[in-house]
Structures are given as C-alpha cells and as structure tokens.
mmCIF file of all heavy atoms in Angstrom:
data_model
loop_
_atom_site.group_PDB
_atom_site.id
_atom_site.type_symbol
_atom_site.label_atom_id
_atom_site.label_comp_id
_atom_site.label_asym_id
_atom_site.label_seq_id
_atom_site.Cartn_x
_atom_site.Cartn_y
_atom_site.Cartn_z
ATOM 1 N N ILE A 80 0.846 -1.204 0.000
ATOM 2 C CA ILE A 80 0.000 0.000 0.000
ATOM 3 C C ILE A 80 0.875 1.245 0.000
ATOM 4 O O ILE A 80 0.645 2.180 -0.772
ATOM 5 C CB ILE A 80 -0.965 -0.005 1.214
ATOM 6 C CG1 ILE A 80 -2.016 -1.099 1.055
ATOM 7 C CG2 ILE A 80 -1.633 1.364 1.382
ATOM 8 C CD1 ILE A 80 -2.847 -1.346 2.319
ATOM 9 N N GLU A 81 1.895 1.261 0.856
ATOM 10 C CA GLU A 81 2.773 2.430 0.943
ATOM 11 C C GLU A 81 3.563 2.662 -0.340
ATOM 12 O O GLU A 81 3.893 3.796 -0.662
ATOM 13 C CB GLU A 81 3.715 2.308 2.146
ATOM 14 C CG GLU A 81 3.009 2.505 3.477
ATOM 15 C CD GLU A 81 3.970 2.573 4.656
ATOM 16 O OE1 GLU A 81 5.188 2.345 4.488
ATOM 17 O OE2 GLU A 81 3.487 2.866 5.769
ATOM 18 N N ARG A 82 3.850 1.615 -1.077
ATOM 19 C CA ARG A 82 4.559 1.763 -2.360
ATOM 20 C C ARG A 82 3.598 2.028 -3.516
ATOM 21 O O ARG A 82 4.030 2.345 -4.618
ATOM 22 C CB ARG A 82 5.395 0.512 -2.651
ATOM 23 C CG ARG A 82 6.604 0.357 -1.755
ATOM 24 C CD ARG A 82 7.500 -0.792 -2.191
ATOM 25 N NE ARG A 82 6.848 -2.088 -2.209
ATOM 26 C CZ ARG A 82 6.650 -2.875 -1.142
ATOM 27 N NH1 ARG A 82 7.053 -2.473 0.048
ATOM 28 N NH2 ARG A 82 6.061 -4.044 -1.275
ATOM 29 N N GLY A 83 2.305 1.872 -3.263
ATOM 30 C CA GLY A 83 1.310 2.103 -4.307
ATOM 31 C C GLY A 83 1.191 0.964 -5.294
ATOM 32 O O GLY A 83 0.674 1.139 -6.394
ATOM 33 N N THR A 84 1.662 -0.242 -4.905
ATOM 34 C CA THR A 84 1.619 -1.383 -5.814
ATOM 35 C C THR A 84 0.400 -2.271 -5.605
ATOM 36 O O THR A 84 0.177 -3.188 -6.394
ATOM 37 C CB THR A 84 2.901 -2.245 -5.676
ATOM 38 O OG1 THR A 84 3.035 -2.658 -4.313
ATOM 39 C CG2 THR A 84 4.125 -1.447 -6.105
ATOM 40 N N ARG A 85 -0.369 -2.021 -4.549
ATOM 41 C CA ARG A 85 -1.610 -2.759 -4.302
ATOM 42 C C ARG A 85 -2.695 -1.764 -3.934
ATOM 43 O O ARG A 85 -2.435 -0.731 -3.315
ATOM 44 C CB ARG A 85 -1.457 -3.770 -3.155
ATOM 45 C CG ARG A 85 -0.439 -4.854 -3.374
ATOM 46 C CD ARG A 85 -0.952 -6.172 -3.934
ATOM 47 N NE ARG A 85 -2.068 -6.778 -3.290
ATOM 48 C CZ ARG A 85 -2.013 -7.649 -2.279
ATOM 49 N NH1 ARG A 85 -0.840 -7.994 -1.767
ATOM 50 N NH2 ARG A 85 -3.107 -8.177 -1.793
ATOM 51 N N ILE A 86 -3.914 -2.084 -4.297
ATOM 52 C CA ILE A 86 -5.058 -1.231 -3.995
ATOM 53 C C ILE A 86 -5.772 -1.801 -2.776
ATOM 54 O O ILE A 86 -6.071 -2.994 -2.727
ATOM 55 C CB ILE A 86 -6.018 -1.160 -5.204
ATOM 56 C CG1 ILE A 86 -5.299 -0.543 -6.400
ATOM 57 C CG2 ILE A 86 -7.270 -0.367 -4.843
ATOM 58 C CD1 ILE A 86 -6.095 -0.603 -7.689
ATOM 59 N N MET A 87 -6.058 -0.941 -1.825
ATOM 60 C CA MET A 87 -6.723 -1.391 -0.601
ATOM 61 C C MET A 87 -8.237 -1.227 -0.724
ATOM 62 O O MET A 87 -8.727 -0.422 -1.512
ATOM 63 C CB MET A 87 -6.207 -0.597 0.602
ATOM 64 C CG MET A 87 -6.574 0.884 0.585
ATOM 65 S SD MET A 87 -5.729 1.798 1.867
ATOM 66 C CE MET A 87 -4.952 3.070 0.868
ATOM 67 N N SER A 88 -8.955 -1.980 0.090
ATOM 68 C CA SER A 88 -10.410 -1.866 0.138
ATOM 69 C C SER A 88 -10.797 -0.620 0.933
ATOM 70 O O SER A 88 -9.969 -0.027 1.646
ATOM 71 C CB SER A 88 -11.015 -3.100 0.809
ATOM 72 O OG SER A 88 -10.664 -3.126 2.192
ATOM 73 N N VAL A 89 -12.056 -0.257 0.839
ATOM 74 C CA VAL A 89 -12.568 0.869 1.618
ATOM 75 C C VAL A 89 -12.440 0.557 3.111
ATOM 76 O O VAL A 89 -12.107 1.437 3.913
ATOM 77 C CB VAL A 89 -14.041 1.175 1.241
ATOM 78 C CG1 VAL A 89 -14.639 2.219 2.161
ATOM 79 C CG2 VAL A 89 -14.139 1.622 -0.199
ATOM 80 N N GLU A 90 -12.674 -0.688 3.483
ATOM 81 C CA GLU A 90 -12.553 -1.086 4.890
ATOM 82 C C GLU A 90 -11.118 -0.902 5.387
ATOM 83 O O GLU A 90 -10.896 -0.420 6.499
ATOM 84 C CB GLU A 90 -13.001 -2.540 5.090
ATOM 85 C CG GLU A 90 -14.483 -2.761 4.929
ATOM 86 C CD GLU A 90 -14.927 -2.895 3.462
ATOM 87 O OE1 GLU A 90 -14.059 -3.012 2.555
ATOM 88 O OE2 GLU A 90 -16.148 -2.865 3.231
ATOM 89 N N THR A 91 -10.157 -1.276 4.564
ATOM 90 C CA THR A 91 -8.746 -1.109 4.953
ATOM 91 C C THR A 91 -8.396 0.368 5.046
ATOM 92 O O THR A 91 -7.725 0.792 5.989
ATOM 93 C CB THR A 91 -7.820 -1.832 3.966
ATOM 94 O OG1 THR A 91 -8.141 -3.226 3.973
ATOM 95 C CG2 THR A 91 -6.358 -1.644 4.324
ATOM 96 N N LEU A 92 -8.853 1.161 4.081
ATOM 97 C CA LEU A 92 -8.618 2.613 4.131
ATOM 98 C C LEU A 92 -9.195 3.187 5.421
ATOM 99 O O LEU A 92 -8.536 3.974 6.100
ATOM 100 C CB LEU A 92 -9.225 3.316 2.917
ATOM 101 C CG LEU A 92 -9.192 4.848 2.952
ATOM 102 C CD1 LEU A 92 -7.751 5.363 2.949
ATOM 103 C CD2 LEU A 92 -9.975 5.428 1.779
ATOM 104 N N ASN A 93 -10.401 2.784 5.762
ATOM 105 C CA ASN A 93 -11.023 3.263 6.989
ATOM 106 C C ASN A 93 -10.190 2.877 8.211
ATOM 107 O O ASN A 93 -9.977 3.701 9.109
ATOM 108 C CB ASN A 93 -12.444 2.704 7.113
ATOM 109 C CG ASN A 93 -13.146 3.247 8.329
ATOM 110 O OD1 ASN A 93 -13.310 4.451 8.482
ATOM 111 N ND2 ASN A 93 -13.577 2.352 9.210
ATOM 112 N N GLY A 94 -9.706 1.647 8.244
ATOM 113 C CA GLY A 94 -8.874 1.200 9.366
ATOM 114 C C GLY A 94 -7.591 2.002 9.475
ATOM 115 O O GLY A 94 -7.158 2.360 10.580
ATOM 116 N N ILE A 95 -6.973 2.300 8.347
ATOM 117 C CA ILE A 95 -5.740 3.092 8.349
ATOM 118 C C ILE A 95 -6.043 4.516 8.810
ATOM 119 O O ILE A 95 -5.292 5.087 9.614
ATOM 120 C CB ILE A 95 -5.066 3.066 6.965
ATOM 121 C CG1 ILE A 95 -4.535 1.654 6.672
ATOM 122 C CG2 ILE A 95 -3.937 4.095 6.880
ATOM 123 C CD1 ILE A 95 -4.016 1.456 5.258
ATOM 124 N N CYS A 96 -7.144 5.087 8.323
ATOM 125 C CA CYS A 96 -7.535 6.435 8.753
ATOM 126 C C CYS A 96 -7.725 6.489 10.267
ATOM 127 O O CYS A 96 -7.224 7.397 10.935
ATOM 128 C CB CYS A 96 -8.836 6.874 8.069
ATOM 129 S SG CYS A 96 -8.673 7.282 6.328
ATOM 130 N N GLU A 97 -8.436 5.506 10.799
ATOM 131 C CA GLU A 97 -8.678 5.477 12.240
ATOM 132 C C GLU A 97 -7.376 5.299 13.018
ATOM 133 O O GLU A 97 -7.139 5.979 14.010
ATOM 134 C CB GLU A 97 -9.672 4.368 12.593
ATOM 135 C CG GLU A 97 -11.090 4.701 12.192
ATOM 136 C CD GLU A 97 -12.086 3.608 12.559
ATOM 137 O OE1 GLU A 97 -11.700 2.602 13.180
ATOM 138 O OE2 GLU A 97 -13.266 3.782 12.208
ATOM 139 N N ALA A 98 -6.536 4.381 12.570
ATOM 140 C CA ALA A 98 -5.274 4.120 13.271
ATOM 141 C C ALA A 98 -4.367 5.343 13.269
ATOM 142 O O ALA A 98 -3.740 5.664 14.285
ATOM 143 C CB ALA A 98 -4.558 2.930 12.635
ATOM 144 N N LEU A 99 -4.305 6.042 12.139
ATOM 145 C CA LEU A 99 -3.424 7.208 12.018
ATOM 146 C C LEU A 99 -4.081 8.501 12.500
ATOM 147 O O LEU A 99 -3.430 9.539 12.542
ATOM 148 C CB LEU A 99 -2.975 7.387 10.564
ATOM 149 C CG LEU A 99 -2.081 6.299 9.987
ATOM 150 C CD1 LEU A 99 -1.829 6.553 8.508
ATOM 151 C CD2 LEU A 99 -0.769 6.216 10.753
ATOM 152 N N ASP A 100 -5.380 8.435 12.810
ATOM 153 C CA ASP A 100 -6.154 9.627 13.173
ATOM 154 C C ASP A 100 -6.050 10.668 12.060
ATOM 155 O O ASP A 100 -5.749 11.832 12.276
ATOM 156 C CB ASP A 100 -5.678 10.205 14.509
ATOM 157 C CG ASP A 100 -6.654 11.236 15.065
ATOM 158 O OD1 ASP A 100 -7.857 11.156 14.757
ATOM 159 O OD2 ASP A 100 -6.201 12.155 15.793
ATOM 160 N N ALA A 101 -6.288 10.182 10.839
ATOM 161 C CA ALA A 101 -6.223 11.028 9.643
ATOM 162 C C ALA A 101 -7.539 10.897 8.883
ATOM 163 O O ALA A 101 -8.198 9.862 8.950
ATOM 164 C CB ALA A 101 -5.060 10.601 8.754
ATOM 165 N N SER A 102 -7.889 11.929 8.155
ATOM 166 C CA SER A 102 -9.114 11.864 7.353
ATOM 167 C C SER A 102 -8.832 11.178 6.022
ATOM 168 O O SER A 102 -7.685 11.129 5.560
ATOM 169 C CB SER A 102 -9.659 13.272 7.099
ATOM 170 O OG SER A 102 -8.820 13.975 6.200
ATOM 171 N N ALA A 103 -9.890 10.669 5.409
ATOM 172 C CA ALA A 103 -9.750 10.072 4.078
ATOM 173 C C ALA A 103 -9.274 11.122 3.080
ATOM 174 O O ALA A 103 -8.455 10.829 2.208
ATOM 175 C CB ALA A 103 -11.076 9.455 3.630
ATOM 176 N N ASP A 104 -9.778 12.366 3.206
ATOM 177 C CA ASP A 104 -9.324 13.448 2.318
ATOM 178 C C ASP A 104 -7.819 13.649 2.435
ATOM 179 O O ASP A 104 -7.137 13.875 1.443
ATOM 180 C CB ASP A 104 -10.024 14.767 2.647
ATOM 181 C CG ASP A 104 -11.401 14.870 2.039
ATOM 182 O OD1 ASP A 104 -11.679 14.171 1.055
ATOM 183 O OD2 ASP A 104 -12.204 15.674 2.544
ATOM 184 N N GLU A 105 -7.322 13.557 3.652
ATOM 185 C CA GLU A 105 -5.885 13.752 3.856
ATOM 186 C C GLU A 105 -5.079 12.657 3.170
ATOM 187 O O GLU A 105 -4.081 12.936 2.495
ATOM 188 C CB GLU A 105 -5.582 13.780 5.355
ATOM 189 C CG GLU A 105 -4.151 14.095 5.686
ATOM 190 C CD GLU A 105 -3.919 14.270 7.172
ATOM 191 O OE1 GLU A 105 -4.852 14.153 7.968
ATOM 192 O OE2 GLU A 105 -2.758 14.534 7.530
ATOM 193 N N LEU A 106 -5.517 11.399 3.315
ATOM 194 C CA LEU A 106 -4.762 10.296 2.721
ATOM 195 C C LEU A 106 -4.971 10.205 1.209
ATOM 196 O O LEU A 106 -4.016 9.995 0.470
ATOM 197 C CB LEU A 106 -5.154 8.972 3.379
ATOM 198 C CG LEU A 106 -4.825 8.845 4.862
ATOM 199 C CD1 LEU A 106 -5.209 7.473 5.373
ATOM 200 C CD2 LEU A 106 -3.369 9.148 5.154
ATOM 201 N N LEU A 107 -6.197 10.381 0.757
ATOM 202 C CA LEU A 107 -6.479 10.223 -0.668
ATOM 203 C C LEU A 107 -5.997 11.402 -1.505
ATOM 204 O O LEU A 107 -5.459 11.228 -2.589
ATOM 205 C CB LEU A 107 -7.976 10.031 -0.906
ATOM 206 C CG LEU A 107 -8.590 8.753 -0.345
ATOM 207 C CD1 LEU A 107 -10.101 8.768 -0.549
ATOM 208 C CD2 LEU A 107 -7.973 7.522 -0.987
ATOM 209 N N TRP A 108 -6.212 12.616 -1.013
ATOM 210 C CA TRP A 108 -5.957 13.807 -1.827
ATOM 211 C C TRP A 108 -4.905 14.744 -1.244
ATOM 212 O O TRP A 108 -4.548 15.737 -1.860
ATOM 213 C CB TRP A 108 -7.252 14.597 -2.039
ATOM 214 C CG TRP A 108 -8.369 13.729 -2.511
ATOM 215 C CD1 TRP A 108 -9.484 13.391 -1.814
ATOM 216 C CD2 TRP A 108 -8.477 13.062 -3.768
ATOM 217 N NE1 TRP A 108 -10.272 12.556 -2.568
ATOM 218 C CE2 TRP A 108 -9.690 12.341 -3.771
ATOM 219 C CE3 TRP A 108 -7.672 13.011 -4.898
ATOM 220 C CZ2 TRP A 108 -10.104 11.581 -4.849
ATOM 221 C CZ3 TRP A 108 -8.094 12.245 -5.980
ATOM 222 C CH2 TRP A 108 -9.294 11.546 -5.948
ATOM 223 N N GLY A 109 -4.441 14.468 -0.021
ATOM 224 C CA GLY A 109 -3.459 15.355 0.601
ATOM 225 C C GLY A 109 -4.074 16.630 1.140
ATOM 226 O O GLY A 109 -3.395 17.643 1.258
ATOM 227 N N ILE A 110 -5.370 16.587 1.468
ATOM 228 C CA ILE A 110 -6.081 17.772 1.952
ATOM 229 C C ILE A 110 -6.422 17.592 3.423
ATOM 230 O O ILE A 110 -7.427 16.955 3.760
ATOM 231 C CB ILE A 110 -7.388 18.001 1.158
ATOM 232 C CG1 ILE A 110 -7.110 18.101 -0.330
ATOM 233 C CG2 ILE A 110 -8.112 19.241 1.675
ATOM 234 C CD1 ILE A 110 -8.359 18.077 -1.188
ATOM 235 N N PRO A 111 -5.583 18.109 4.294
ATOM 236 C CA PRO A 111 -5.939 18.000 5.718
ATOM 237 C C PRO A 111 -7.128 18.904 6.019
ATOM 238 O O PRO A 111 -7.185 20.040 5.576
ATOM 239 C CB PRO A 111 -4.685 18.463 6.451
ATOM 240 C CG PRO A 111 -3.921 19.254 5.467
ATOM 241 C CD PRO A 111 -4.323 18.782 4.091
#
C-alpha cells in the first residue's frame, strides 16, 4: 500500500484512517 503497488479496500482505508487519526481526504488527496 505504501509503495502504491496494491489497492486497498474501503474497509482497509477506513482502518488506516482510524489508526493514524487522519481523514480520508488527507490520505487520498493530501487535503488536511
């Protein structure tokens, strides 16, 4: 995922957002 060689599910994205305390906008688009 960090290298961009695999696509994660929405559930995985949500888990990463929660773990990092980051918004989906921040991770997907770089918009905090």
Side-chain angles (χ1 to χ4, degrees):
I80 291 169
E81 288 188 353
R82 289 187 301 279
T84 57
R85 298 265 309 270
I86 298 172
M87 67 189 125
S88 68
V89 173
E90 290 82 10
T91 300
L92 173 64
N93 183 59
I95 292 172
C96 287
E97 287 181 3
L99 294 175
D100 193 27
S102 71
D104 279 338
E105 185 173 0
L106 296 182
L107 294 175
W108 310 111
I110 304 170

